[in-house]
Amino acid sequence: MKPMLRIAKREVALLLNSKTILVFAVILPFVSFLFFSSLLKIGVARDLPFAVIDLDNSATSRNIISQLDATPELQINQSLINQQEGESLIRQGEIYGLVTIPKGFEADLKNGKQVTILNQYNNNVLLPGGLEFKAFSKVIGTISGQIFVEKQLAKGVSFQQAIINYQPVNLENHVLSNPYTNYSYYLNSGFLAYFLQIIIILTTIYCFGNDLKYSKGKQLLRISKEKLSPILLGKILPYTLWFFFVGLIMYYSMFVWQDFPLNGSKPALLIGLILLIISNQSFGLLFVSLSNSFREALTIGSGFAAISLSFSGITFPIFSMPVIIQWISQIFPFTHFFKLFMEQSQQGFPVYYSLRAILALILLCVLPILFSWHKLTKLFLKGEFNHRI
């Protein structure tokens, strides 16, 4: 116990006195929290500019325009008089949609004819284009429903039956990946934890690699009485506790400051956080054991941490990836943490649905240590990397 405490005190002193560790492990996490929280503060796109061409200029057409403008997604940017000007503005990116109401629209509607409203939007920009189309479809669907129900009521049909006649099949949508369709909730949840795990891996590699770079491995073995476990525990534990505190601040910024939904188990989220920290520290040790130099360990660690975002399912669902990529994605702790986080925060699943992710994180805490133990022992006996760069 005493050798471990002695090494731990040494690491705490390093954490407080080393400018590199201070910037990387203390300052940078909080800077990243502020950056990502500010970047995606709104969460959902609002007031997307669009234009209208009202060739009918009737009470009905003005009602449609006002309802479109009243949706949170859209805002009338300008009223135009010809199609060419509107299409030019869409291509230039000044507006995201152009709605054209034809002449004689109200008269045809009253005569029982089917009428058409032209909606042009730029789907090259997927998010604004999709939101514009969704808002337009919702408004036109509501107006069409009102007209149908009014005709049914005029025939003596009850209101409830008129609703059923209009839509006999009701829709119930469940969005799997981003249930609140809020990009602050969804992307910030991933980006904050993703950036934290990069810092954890590189800090772990730095605190071990820096000693081995400057041939201090034998000195640490003398302090630990030729045992590897006091070195690992003494050097890792202070950073584990510190990053757990940083993770709690991250959770506070999400669930209190930014008011993210929390529909699941708080203990499960805390367990996921501590397992994310330990598993990334374990991989940091593995990369140190496999490397010939400090630089090589940092390169491998940063590469592993960086690509974990692509394999996590944030940008593309894992179940749609090729089978071999699905298997590779299971190697990354961040994949399982993000799955656990979404299930216990936004999706509100019972804890037993997340047991698989928790067990996977436990395995990823243990296996890298087992694979690297022998090589780490040899490395500390030698006292330094093969190459001093």
Side-chain angles (χ1 to χ4, degrees), residues 21-40 188 191-193 195-196 199 242-243 246 249-250 253 257-258:
I21 293 292
L22 185 66
V23 170
F24 205 72
V26 178
I27 297 174
L28 202 56
F30 298 108
V31 171
S32 70
F33 294 168
L34 290 172
F35 173 75
F36 286 117
S37 299
S38 303
L39 181 67
L40 297 168
N188 265 346
F191 287 162
L192 292 177
F195 205 83
L196 178 62
I199 294 172
W242 168 249
F243 284 124
V246 173
I249 299 296
M250 178 184 74
S253 74
W257 181 29
Q258 299 178 76

Side-chain angles (χ1 to χ4, degrees), residues 277-287 364-366 368-369 372:
I277 295 167
I278 297 172
S279 59
N280 278 291
Q281 289 176 320
S282 297
F283 273 99
L285 288 172
L286 177 64
F287 300 143
L364 293 176
C365 290
V366 175
I369 295 291
S372 61

Side-chain angles (χ1 to χ4, degrees), residues 230-251:
I231 298 176
L232 299 186
L233 290 173
K235 289 181 72 65
I236 282 180
L237 190 58
Y239 296 103
T240 305
L241 296 175
W242 168 249
F243 284 124
F244 183 68
F245 172 74
V246 173
L248 292 178
I249 299 296
M250 178 184 74
Y251 278 170

Side-chain angles (χ1 to χ4, degrees), residues 141-157:
T142 301
I143 293 172
S144 299
Q146 290 172 350
I147 294 170
F148 180 86
V149 169
E150 286 175 4
K151 290 181 177 180
Q152 290 281 292
L153 293 175
K155 295 178 181 179
V157 178

Side-chain angles (χ1 to χ4, degrees), residues 161-315:
Q161 187 60 49
I163 297 292
I164 295 173
N165 290 343
Y166 175 69
Q167 191 173 20
V169 179
N170 197 26
L171 296 176
E172 185 176 341
N173 295 317
H174 293 270
V175 182
L176 293 178
S177 298
N178 186 4
Y180 288 84
T181 59
N182 184 304
Y183 289 89
S184 178
Y185 294 169
Y186 182 66
L187 294 179
N188 265 346
S189 301
F191 287 162
L192 292 177
Y194 167 70
F195 205 83
L196 178 62
Q197 62 118 28
I198 292 177
I199 294 172
I200 293 169
I201 287 182
L202 295 184
T203 301
T204 304
I205 292 172
Y206 183 89
C207 75
F208 280 90
N210 194 55
D211 283 337
L212 292 168
K213 179 181 179 180
Y214 295 106
S215 305
K216 296 180 181 177
K218 291 182 179 180
Q219 178 187 341
L220 289 170
L221 271 181
R222 284 195 298 271
I223 296 172
S224 66
K225 298 178 181 180
E226 307 298 319
K227 294 180 181 178
L228 183 62
S229 54
I231 298 176
L232 299 186
L233 290 173
K235 289 181 72 65
I236 282 180
L237 190 58
Y239 296 103
T240 305
L241 296 175
W242 168 249
F243 284 124
F244 183 68
F245 172 74
V246 173
L248 292 178
I249 299 296
M250 178 184 74
Y251 278 170
Y252 182 86
S253 74
M254 290 180 185
F255 300 121
V256 179
W257 181 29
Q258 299 178 76
D259 198 26
F260 282 18
L262 179 52
N263 301 319
S265 168
K266 294 178 184 178
L269 287 173
L270 292 175
I271 291 170
L273 175 63
I274 193 69
L275 290 176
L276 176 73
I277 295 167
I278 297 172
S279 59
N280 278 291
Q281 289 176 320
S282 297
F283 273 99
L285 288 172
L286 177 64
F287 300 143
V288 168
S289 70
L290 295 175
S291 302
N292 291 313
S293 67
F294 185 30
R295 182 190 297 173
E296 184 179 330
L298 286 173
T299 302
I300 296 172
S302 59
F304 177 86
I307 64 173
S308 65
L309 183 71
S310 302
F311 289 91
S312 65
I314 292 181
T315 56

